[in-house]
Amino acid sequence: MKLIGSLSSLIIASAAGSFAPAISMAQAAIEPTPFVLASGLEGPRGLRFGPDGYLYVAEAGTGGTNSTIGQCMQVPGPPGGPGPDTGGLTGRISKISPSRIVTTVASGFPSVTIGPGGANGTIGVADVVFLDGDLYALIGGGGCSHGNPKNPSGIAKVDVKTGHWHLIADIGAWLKTHPAKYESADDFEPDGTLYSLIAHDGKLLTVEPNHGQVISVTRSGEIKQVIDISASEGHIVPTSIAARNGFLFVGNLNLFPIDPQWARILTISRSDQDDFDNLPPGLQPERGQRIVSSKAGFTTVVAVDFGPDGLLYVLELSDGAGFPAPGLGKVVRVLHSGAIEDVVTNLSVPAGMIFGPDHRLYVSNFGAAPAGAGQVLRFDIAPGW
């Protein structure tokens, strides 16, 4: 059976038709109890609290109808992939006030309808982050292969007062001149499918899942590769990133159909030591960032964050064999013992997660569902050990 590993495949049409924005009775009965902070969102993905105390939400949008077939390389269509894709400028960033009022911060970002008639959902604004008080948006739905030839994939700086934004880094173009070591020909996104963004050491770090690279971008727009995960791990579809104590922690979606517990968290550290000089020729890792450990036991990882208890929390899209289904998303955490513990269950294709300054957990639920179904849920989480 065809294995699909791009972020496009994160949204599965066969399940999307059954998604509903209401929380099920089973979900309402479990602890911790979900509180619906916002609803009616269009593909909510990454979340970030701003210096103003508002919660900012990246929304993928509703895609569009613009086709570029014959103009440039396309995302492979069936049976080789989810394409062809059509684009539009329907991505946006919203913010939620402390009193739960939702307003639009900026709009008109490139968004892509995946597959014929949008059968496989949308990709658009994937994440948001603040660096030195400025808001940056991660655009995953841009580029000619996504039907948006004049609006590339990359990182944009957003004026939160006016809503104006401009691209500071054209990562779609950069990917074409800096290919990953191992790319999947039948599951290939020419312009990338950027998904996760953090601020770290004065720079912006993003994960490109389809090519398998972690990329850094300065405030002036200089783009560099941090590490090519594909070079050692192959096509595992890395999606999410967090930083702590000088280490980077990257989670991966893995391939579809889902094989539970095969996804992992990679620990990445910088090392310039010649501690691998005695390895056989051709097997020495590159200098710089290296994968120093890998922990398996996760399923379809789409977000990672550290909780106020110091533990790593992991958001899983769908913890079941086959393809994503409503009610199978969950949040787990890694205990001091190394055991993986369920924290929140019965989520439906969640796509983003973050701990707030109030130490509560916020999740983008129905993030990979039809437009208007998206929610942001809030949970009070008991500390773990």
PDB file of all heavy atoms in Angstrom, residues 154-186:
ATOM      1  N   GLY A 154       7.342  30.510   3.409  1.00  0.00           N
ATOM      2  CA  GLY A 154       8.459  31.080   4.148  1.00  0.00           C
ATOM      3  C   GLY A 154       8.012  31.682   5.459  1.00  0.00           C
ATOM      4  O   GLY A 154       7.040  31.243   6.070  1.00  0.00           O
ATOM      5  N   ILE A 155       8.729  32.708   5.897  1.00  0.00           N
ATOM      6  CA  ILE A 155       8.435  33.381   7.154  1.00  0.00           C
ATOM      7  C   ILE A 155       8.134  34.849   6.877  1.00  0.00           C
ATOM      8  O   ILE A 155       8.869  35.515   6.147  1.00  0.00           O
ATOM      9  CB  ILE A 155       9.607  33.251   8.142  1.00  0.00           C
ATOM     10  CG1 ILE A 155       9.796  31.775   8.524  1.00  0.00           C
ATOM     11  CG2 ILE A 155       9.362  34.096   9.397  1.00  0.00           C
ATOM     12  CD1 ILE A 155      10.968  31.531   9.458  1.00  0.00           C
ATOM     13  N   ALA A 156       7.038  35.328   7.441  1.00  0.00           N
ATOM     14  CA  ALA A 156       6.622  36.714   7.258  1.00  0.00           C
ATOM     15  C   ALA A 156       6.651  37.446   8.596  1.00  0.00           C
ATOM     16  O   ALA A 156       6.362  36.868   9.641  1.00  0.00           O
ATOM     17  CB  ALA A 156       5.218  36.783   6.669  1.00  0.00           C
ATOM     18  N   LYS A 157       6.970  38.731   8.546  1.00  0.00           N
ATOM     19  CA  LYS A 157       6.879  39.598   9.720  1.00  0.00           C
ATOM     20  C   LYS A 157       5.552  40.343   9.653  1.00  0.00           C
ATOM     21  O   LYS A 157       5.177  40.873   8.613  1.00  0.00           O
ATOM     22  CB  LYS A 157       8.043  40.591   9.754  1.00  0.00           C
ATOM     23  CG  LYS A 157       8.101  41.441  11.019  1.00  0.00           C
ATOM     24  CD  LYS A 157       9.334  42.334  11.030  1.00  0.00           C
ATOM     25  CE  LYS A 157       9.406  43.156  12.303  1.00  0.00           C
ATOM     26  NZ  LYS A 157      10.619  44.038  12.324  1.00  0.00           N
ATOM     27  N   VAL A 158       4.850  40.353  10.777  1.00  0.00           N
ATOM     28  CA  VAL A 158       3.489  40.879  10.808  1.00  0.00           C
ATOM     29  C   VAL A 158       3.404  42.077  11.740  1.00  0.00           C
ATOM     30  O   VAL A 158       3.883  42.028  12.881  1.00  0.00           O
ATOM     31  CB  VAL A 158       2.498  39.800  11.281  1.00  0.00           C
ATOM     32  CG1 VAL A 158       1.067  40.329  11.246  1.00  0.00           C
ATOM     33  CG2 VAL A 158       2.625  38.532  10.434  1.00  0.00           C
ATOM     34  N   ASP A 159       2.801  43.151  11.258  1.00  0.00           N
ATOM     35  CA  ASP A 159       2.528  44.323  12.088  1.00  0.00           C
ATOM     36  C   ASP A 159       1.192  44.088  12.787  1.00  0.00           C
ATOM     37  O   ASP A 159       0.136  44.095  12.144  1.00  0.00           O
ATOM     38  CB  ASP A 159       2.470  45.584  11.225  1.00  0.00           C
ATOM     39  CG  ASP A 159       2.362  46.869  12.043  1.00  0.00           C
ATOM     40  OD1 ASP A 159       1.696  46.849  13.097  1.00  0.00           O
ATOM     41  OD2 ASP A 159       2.925  47.894  11.627  1.00  0.00           O
ATOM     42  N   VAL A 160       1.210  43.871  14.095  1.00  0.00           N
ATOM     43  CA  VAL A 160      -0.024  43.521  14.804  1.00  0.00           C
ATOM     44  C   VAL A 160      -0.988  44.704  14.904  1.00  0.00           C
ATOM     45  O   VAL A 160      -2.183  44.521  15.163  1.00  0.00           O
ATOM     46  CB  VAL A 160       0.286  42.981  16.214  1.00  0.00           C
ATOM     47  CG1 VAL A 160       1.087  41.699  16.131  1.00  0.00           C
ATOM     48  CG2 VAL A 160       1.023  44.018  17.056  1.00  0.00           C
ATOM     49  N   LYS A 161      -0.496  45.911  14.697  1.00  0.00           N
ATOM     50  CA  LYS A 161      -1.365  47.090  14.780  1.00  0.00           C
ATOM     51  C   LYS A 161      -2.135  47.330  13.492  1.00  0.00           C
ATOM     52  O   LYS A 161      -3.312  47.693  13.517  1.00  0.00           O
ATOM     53  CB  LYS A 161      -0.536  48.322  15.134  1.00  0.00           C
ATOM     54  CG  LYS A 161       0.083  48.269  16.532  1.00  0.00           C
ATOM     55  CD  LYS A 161       0.879  49.540  16.819  1.00  0.00           C
ATOM     56  CE  LYS A 161       1.479  49.498  18.220  1.00  0.00           C
ATOM     57  NZ  LYS A 161       2.279  50.723  18.516  1.00  0.00           N
ATOM     58  N   THR A 162      -1.468  47.134  12.356  1.00  0.00           N
ATOM     59  CA  THR A 162      -2.092  47.426  11.062  1.00  0.00           C
ATOM     60  C   THR A 162      -2.549  46.178  10.310  1.00  0.00           C
ATOM     61  O   THR A 162      -3.362  46.268   9.392  1.00  0.00           O
ATOM     62  CB  THR A 162      -1.124  48.199  10.162  1.00  0.00           C
ATOM     63  OG1 THR A 162      -0.006  47.342   9.824  1.00  0.00           O
ATOM     64  CG2 THR A 162      -0.611  49.453  10.865  1.00  0.00           C
ATOM     65  N   GLY A 163      -1.994  45.022  10.669  1.00  0.00           N
ATOM     66  CA  GLY A 163      -2.290  43.799   9.939  1.00  0.00           C
ATOM     67  C   GLY A 163      -1.453  43.614   8.694  1.00  0.00           C
ATOM     68  O   GLY A 163      -1.543  42.591   8.019  1.00  0.00           O
ATOM     69  N   HIS A 164      -0.616  44.602   8.380  1.00  0.00           N
ATOM     70  CA  HIS A 164       0.263  44.467   7.218  1.00  0.00           C
ATOM     71  C   HIS A 164       1.362  43.448   7.508  1.00  0.00           C
ATOM     72  O   HIS A 164       1.832  43.353   8.641  1.00  0.00           O
ATOM     73  CB  HIS A 164       0.891  45.819   6.864  1.00  0.00           C
ATOM     74  CG  HIS A 164      -0.112  46.834   6.429  1.00  0.00           C
ATOM     75  ND1 HIS A 164       0.107  48.193   6.509  1.00  0.00           N
ATOM     76  CD2 HIS A 164      -1.359  46.699   5.898  1.00  0.00           C
ATOM     77  CE1 HIS A 164      -0.950  48.843   6.057  1.00  0.00           C
ATOM     78  NE2 HIS A 164      -1.855  47.963   5.679  1.00  0.00           N
ATOM     79  N   TRP A 165       1.777  42.716   6.485  1.00  0.00           N
ATOM     80  CA  TRP A 165       2.838  41.741   6.659  1.00  0.00           C
ATOM     81  C   TRP A 165       3.690  41.676   5.392  1.00  0.00           C
ATOM     82  O   TRP A 165       3.250  42.044   4.310  1.00  0.00           O
ATOM     83  CB  TRP A 165       2.262  40.361   6.979  1.00  0.00           C
ATOM     84  CG  TRP A 165       1.316  39.803   5.955  1.00  0.00           C
ATOM     85  CD1 TRP A 165      -0.033  39.981   5.886  1.00  0.00           C
ATOM     86  CD2 TRP A 165       1.663  38.967   4.824  1.00  0.00           C
ATOM     87  NE1 TRP A 165      -0.560  39.312   4.792  1.00  0.00           N
ATOM     88  CE2 TRP A 165       0.446  38.677   4.139  1.00  0.00           C
ATOM     89  CE3 TRP A 165       2.866  38.439   4.350  1.00  0.00           C
ATOM     90  CZ2 TRP A 165       0.421  37.892   2.994  1.00  0.00           C
ATOM     91  CZ3 TRP A 165       2.842  37.648   3.209  1.00  0.00           C
ATOM     92  CH2 TRP A 165       1.630  37.389   2.551  1.00  0.00           C
ATOM     93  N   HIS A 166       4.911  41.240   5.558  1.00  0.00           N
ATOM     94  CA  HIS A 166       5.788  41.059   4.403  1.00  0.00           C
ATOM     95  C   HIS A 166       6.715  39.875   4.659  1.00  0.00           C
ATOM     96  O   HIS A 166       7.098  39.593   5.804  1.00  0.00           O
ATOM     97  CB  HIS A 166       6.615  42.329   4.124  1.00  0.00           C
ATOM     98  CG  HIS A 166       7.613  42.661   5.194  1.00  0.00           C
ATOM     99  ND1 HIS A 166       7.254  43.342   6.354  1.00  0.00           N
ATOM    100  CD2 HIS A 166       8.947  42.413   5.296  1.00  0.00           C
ATOM    101  CE1 HIS A 166       8.320  43.515   7.108  1.00  0.00           C
ATOM    102  NE2 HIS A 166       9.361  42.960   6.499  1.00  0.00           N
ATOM    103  N   LEU A 167       7.049  39.187   3.594  1.00  0.00           N
ATOM    104  CA  LEU A 167       7.913  38.014   3.675  1.00  0.00           C
ATOM    105  C   LEU A 167       9.351  38.443   3.951  1.00  0.00           C
ATOM    106  O   LEU A 167       9.876  39.315   3.265  1.00  0.00           O
ATOM    107  CB  LEU A 167       7.849  37.231   2.374  1.00  0.00           C
ATOM    108  CG  LEU A 167       8.252  35.753   2.440  1.00  0.00           C
ATOM    109  CD1 LEU A 167       7.183  34.940   3.150  1.00  0.00           C
ATOM    110  CD2 LEU A 167       8.466  35.209   1.029  1.00  0.00           C
ATOM    111  N   ILE A 168       9.982  37.840   4.945  1.00  0.00           N
ATOM    112  CA  ILE A 168      11.399  38.121   5.205  1.00  0.00           C
ATOM    113  C   ILE A 168      12.291  36.985   4.725  1.00  0.00           C
ATOM    114  O   ILE A 168      13.499  37.177   4.539  1.00  0.00           O
ATOM    115  CB  ILE A 168      11.667  38.394   6.695  1.00  0.00           C
ATOM    116  CG1 ILE A 168      11.416  37.143   7.541  1.00  0.00           C
ATOM    117  CG2 ILE A 168      10.846  39.567   7.209  1.00  0.00           C
ATOM    118  CD1 ILE A 168      12.026  37.206   8.922  1.00  0.00           C
ATOM    119  N   ALA A 169      11.713  35.791   4.510  1.00  0.00           N
ATOM    120  CA  ALA A 169      12.527  34.643   4.098  1.00  0.00           C
ATOM    121  C   ALA A 169      11.717  33.757   3.155  1.00  0.00           C
ATOM    122  O   ALA A 169      10.699  33.185   3.562  1.00  0.00           O
ATOM    123  CB  ALA A 169      12.977  33.841   5.311  1.00  0.00           C
ATOM    124  N   ASP A 170      12.159  33.639   1.912  1.00  0.00           N
ATOM    125  CA  ASP A 170      11.520  32.786   0.918  1.00  0.00           C
ATOM    126  C   ASP A 170      12.132  31.390   1.046  1.00  0.00           C
ATOM    127  O   ASP A 170      13.096  31.042   0.350  1.00  0.00           O
ATOM    128  CB  ASP A 170      11.747  33.363  -0.483  1.00  0.00           C
ATOM    129  CG  ASP A 170      11.016  32.579  -1.572  1.00  0.00           C
ATOM    130  OD1 ASP A 170      10.604  31.440  -1.305  1.00  0.00           O
ATOM    131  OD2 ASP A 170      10.885  33.106  -2.689  1.00  0.00           O
ATOM    132  N   ILE A 171      11.575  30.595   1.943  1.00  0.00           N
ATOM    133  CA  ILE A 171      12.133  29.271   2.192  1.00  0.00           C
ATOM    134  C   ILE A 171      11.812  28.322   1.045  1.00  0.00           C
ATOM    135  O   ILE A 171      12.580  27.403   0.749  1.00  0.00           O
ATOM    136  CB  ILE A 171      11.633  28.728   3.541  1.00  0.00           C
ATOM    137  CG1 ILE A 171      12.150  29.626   4.677  1.00  0.00           C
ATOM    138  CG2 ILE A 171      12.096  27.285   3.759  1.00  0.00           C
ATOM    139  CD1 ILE A 171      11.693  29.211   6.061  1.00  0.00           C
ATOM    140  N   GLY A 172      10.703  28.543   0.357  1.00  0.00           N
ATOM    141  CA  GLY A 172      10.379  27.721  -0.799  1.00  0.00           C
ATOM    142  C   GLY A 172      11.469  27.766  -1.859  1.00  0.00           C
ATOM    143  O   GLY A 172      11.867  26.738  -2.409  1.00  0.00           O
ATOM    144  N   ALA A 173      11.982  28.969  -2.132  1.00  0.00           N
ATOM    145  CA  ALA A 173      13.073  29.110  -3.104  1.00  0.00           C
ATOM    146  C   ALA A 173      14.355  28.496  -2.558  1.00  0.00           C
ATOM    147  O   ALA A 173      15.127  27.866  -3.295  1.00  0.00           O
ATOM    148  CB  ALA A 173      13.281  30.584  -3.441  1.00  0.00           C
ATOM    149  N   TRP A 174      14.598  28.683  -1.262  1.00  0.00           N
ATOM    150  CA  TRP A 174      15.812  28.142  -0.635  1.00  0.00           C
ATOM    151  C   TRP A 174      15.843  26.620  -0.728  1.00  0.00           C
ATOM    152  O   TRP A 174      16.901  26.024  -0.986  1.00  0.00           O
ATOM    153  CB  TRP A 174      15.875  28.601   0.817  1.00  0.00           C
ATOM    154  CG  TRP A 174      17.100  28.171   1.566  1.00  0.00           C
ATOM    155  CD1 TRP A 174      18.279  28.848   1.674  1.00  0.00           C
ATOM    156  CD2 TRP A 174      17.275  26.961   2.327  1.00  0.00           C
ATOM    157  NE1 TRP A 174      19.177  28.139   2.455  1.00  0.00           N
ATOM    158  CE2 TRP A 174      18.577  26.979   2.857  1.00  0.00           C
ATOM    159  CE3 TRP A 174      16.454  25.879   2.606  1.00  0.00           C
ATOM    160  CZ2 TRP A 174      19.070  25.951   3.656  1.00  0.00           C
ATOM    161  CZ3 TRP A 174      16.939  24.839   3.386  1.00  0.00           C
ATOM    162  CH2 TRP A 174      18.235  24.882   3.906  1.00  0.00           C
ATOM    163  N   LEU A 175      14.707  25.974  -0.542  1.00  0.00           N
ATOM    164  CA  LEU A 175      14.659  24.518  -0.603  1.00  0.00           C
ATOM    165  C   LEU A 175      15.081  23.991  -1.969  1.00  0.00           C
ATOM    166  O   LEU A 175      15.685  22.927  -2.076  1.00  0.00           O
ATOM    167  CB  LEU A 175      13.243  24.029  -0.285  1.00  0.00           C
ATOM    168  CG  LEU A 175      12.781  24.164   1.165  1.00  0.00           C
ATOM    169  CD1 LEU A 175      11.286  23.883   1.266  1.00  0.00           C
ATOM    170  CD2 LEU A 175      13.558  23.223   2.079  1.00  0.00           C
ATOM    171  N   LYS A 176      14.772  24.747  -3.005  1.00  0.00           N
ATOM    172  CA  LYS A 176      15.111  24.301  -4.353  1.00  0.00           C
ATOM    173  C   LYS A 176      16.616  24.332  -4.613  1.00  0.00           C
ATOM    174  O   LYS A 176      17.118  23.590  -5.464  1.00  0.00           O
ATOM    175  CB  LYS A 176      14.377  25.169  -5.379  1.00  0.00           C
ATOM    176  CG  LYS A 176      12.855  24.998  -5.349  1.00  0.00           C
ATOM    177  CD  LYS A 176      12.189  25.934  -6.342  1.00  0.00           C
ATOM    178  CE  LYS A 176      10.678  25.727  -6.390  1.00  0.00           C
ATOM    179  NZ  LYS A 176      10.016  26.061  -5.125  1.00  0.00           N
ATOM    180  N   THR A 177      17.333  25.176  -3.901  1.00  0.00           N
ATOM    181  CA  THR A 177      18.791  25.260  -4.075  1.00  0.00           C
ATOM    182  C   THR A 177      19.556  24.572  -2.948  1.00  0.00           C
ATOM    183  O   THR A 177      20.780  24.488  -2.993  1.00  0.00           O
ATOM    184  CB  THR A 177      19.242  26.725  -4.158  1.00  0.00           C
ATOM    185  OG1 THR A 177      18.817  27.427  -2.973  1.00  0.00           O
ATOM    186  CG2 THR A 177      18.635  27.398  -5.384  1.00  0.00           C
ATOM    187  N   HIS A 178      18.827  24.083  -1.930  1.00  0.00           N
ATOM    188  CA  HIS A 178      19.453  23.377  -0.809  1.00  0.00           C
ATOM    189  C   HIS A 178      18.666  22.097  -0.532  1.00  0.00           C
ATOM    190  O   HIS A 178      18.012  21.973   0.512  1.00  0.00           O
ATOM    191  CB  HIS A 178      19.489  24.259   0.435  1.00  0.00           C
ATOM    192  CG  HIS A 178      20.309  25.497   0.286  1.00  0.00           C
ATOM    193  ND1 HIS A 178      19.841  26.615  -0.383  1.00  0.00           N
ATOM    194  CD2 HIS A 178      21.563  25.798   0.709  1.00  0.00           C
ATOM    195  CE1 HIS A 178      20.784  27.544  -0.360  1.00  0.00           C
ATOM    196  NE2 HIS A 178      21.824  27.079   0.289  1.00  0.00           N
ATOM    197  N   PRO A 179      18.698  21.149  -1.468  1.00  0.00           N
ATOM    198  CA  PRO A 179      17.893  19.927  -1.301  1.00  0.00           C
ATOM    199  C   PRO A 179      18.361  19.084  -0.128  1.00  0.00           C
ATOM    200  O   PRO A 179      19.543  19.079   0.228  1.00  0.00           O
ATOM    201  CB  PRO A 179      18.106  19.194  -2.628  1.00  0.00           C
ATOM    202  CG  PRO A 179      19.430  19.685  -3.132  1.00  0.00           C
ATOM    203  CD  PRO A 179      19.509  21.122  -2.701  1.00  0.00           C
ATOM    204  N   ALA A 180      17.425  18.380   0.466  1.00  0.00           N
ATOM    205  CA  ALA A 180      17.757  17.441   1.527  1.00  0.00           C
ATOM    206  C   ALA A 180      18.477  16.233   0.930  1.00  0.00           C
ATOM    207  O   ALA A 180      18.423  15.985  -0.274  1.00  0.00           O
ATOM    208  CB  ALA A 180      16.491  17.004   2.251  1.00  0.00           C
ATOM    209  N   LYS A 181      19.127  15.485   1.801  1.00  0.00           N
ATOM    210  CA  LYS A 181      19.886  14.323   1.336  1.00  0.00           C
ATOM    211  C   LYS A 181      18.976  13.277   0.713  1.00  0.00           C
ATOM    212  O   LYS A 181      19.261  12.734  -0.351  1.00  0.00           O
ATOM    213  CB  LYS A 181      20.646  13.710   2.519  1.00  0.00           C
ATOM    214  CG  LYS A 181      21.475  12.481   2.170  1.00  0.00           C
ATOM    215  CD  LYS A 181      22.660  12.821   1.304  1.00  0.00           C
ATOM    216  CE  LYS A 181      23.549  11.602   1.101  1.00  0.00           C
ATOM    217  NZ  LYS A 181      24.711  11.910   0.230  1.00  0.00           N
ATOM    218  N   TYR A 182      17.856  13.000   1.366  1.00  0.00           N
ATOM    219  CA  TYR A 182      16.942  11.973   0.864  1.00  0.00           C
ATOM    220  C   TYR A 182      15.531  12.546   0.770  1.00  0.00           C
ATOM    221  O   TYR A 182      14.931  12.902   1.784  1.00  0.00           O
ATOM    222  CB  TYR A 182      16.962  10.734   1.766  1.00  0.00           C
ATOM    223  CG  TYR A 182      18.315  10.067   1.800  1.00  0.00           C
ATOM    224  CD1 TYR A 182      19.118  10.141   2.931  1.00  0.00           C
ATOM    225  CD2 TYR A 182      18.810   9.393   0.679  1.00  0.00           C
ATOM    226  CE1 TYR A 182      20.375   9.554   2.953  1.00  0.00           C
ATOM    227  CE2 TYR A 182      20.064   8.806   0.696  1.00  0.00           C
ATOM    228  CZ  TYR A 182      20.852   8.888   1.836  1.00  0.00           C
ATOM    229  OH  TYR A 182      22.093   8.323   1.847  1.00  0.00           O
ATOM    230  N   GLU A 183      15.041  12.625  -0.443  1.00  0.00           N
ATOM    231  CA  GLU A 183      13.694  13.120  -0.702  1.00  0.00           C
ATOM    232  C   GLU A 183      12.889  12.020  -1.386  1.00  0.00           C
ATOM    233  O   GLU A 183      13.437  11.233  -2.157  1.00  0.00           O
ATOM    234  CB  GLU A 183      13.738  14.373  -1.575  1.00  0.00           C
ATOM    235  CG  GLU A 183      14.489  15.530  -0.916  1.00  0.00           C
ATOM    236  CD  GLU A 183      14.691  16.727  -1.830  1.00  0.00           C
ATOM    237  OE1 GLU A 183      14.661  16.519  -3.073  1.00  0.00           O
ATOM    238  OE2 GLU A 183      14.880  17.834  -1.313  1.00  0.00           O
ATOM    239  N   SER A 184      11.588  11.984  -1.096  1.00  0.00           N
ATOM    240  CA  SER A 184      10.726  10.952  -1.649  1.00  0.00           C
ATOM    241  C   SER A 184      10.096  11.453  -2.942  1.00  0.00           C
ATOM    242  O   SER A 184       9.287  12.381  -2.925  1.00  0.00           O
ATOM    243  CB  SER A 184       9.640  10.579  -0.635  1.00  0.00           C
ATOM    244  OG  SER A 184       8.760   9.619  -1.171  1.00  0.00           O
ATOM    245  N   ALA A 185      10.432  10.826  -4.055  1.00  0.00           N
ATOM    246  CA  ALA A 185       9.964  11.302  -5.359  1.00  0.00           C
ATOM    247  C   ALA A 185       8.441  11.247  -5.487  1.00  0.00           C
ATOM    248  O   ALA A 185       7.834  12.106  -6.135  1.00  0.00           O
ATOM    249  CB  ALA A 185      10.612  10.473  -6.468  1.00  0.00           C
ATOM    250  N   ASP A 186       7.796  10.241  -4.874  1.00  0.00           N
ATOM    251  CA  ASP A 186       6.344  10.112  -5.026  1.00  0.00           C
ATOM    252  C   ASP A 186       5.596  10.805  -3.887  1.00  0.00           C
ATOM    253  O   ASP A 186       4.374  10.741  -3.816  1.00  0.00           O
ATOM    254  CB  ASP A 186       5.934   8.643  -5.117  1.00  0.00           C
ATOM    255  CG  ASP A 186       6.301   7.844  -3.870  1.00  0.00           C
ATOM    256  OD1 ASP A 186       7.061   8.374  -3.031  1.00  0.00           O
ATOM    257  OD2 ASP A 186       5.847   6.697  -3.740  1.00  0.00           O
TER     258      ASP A 186
END
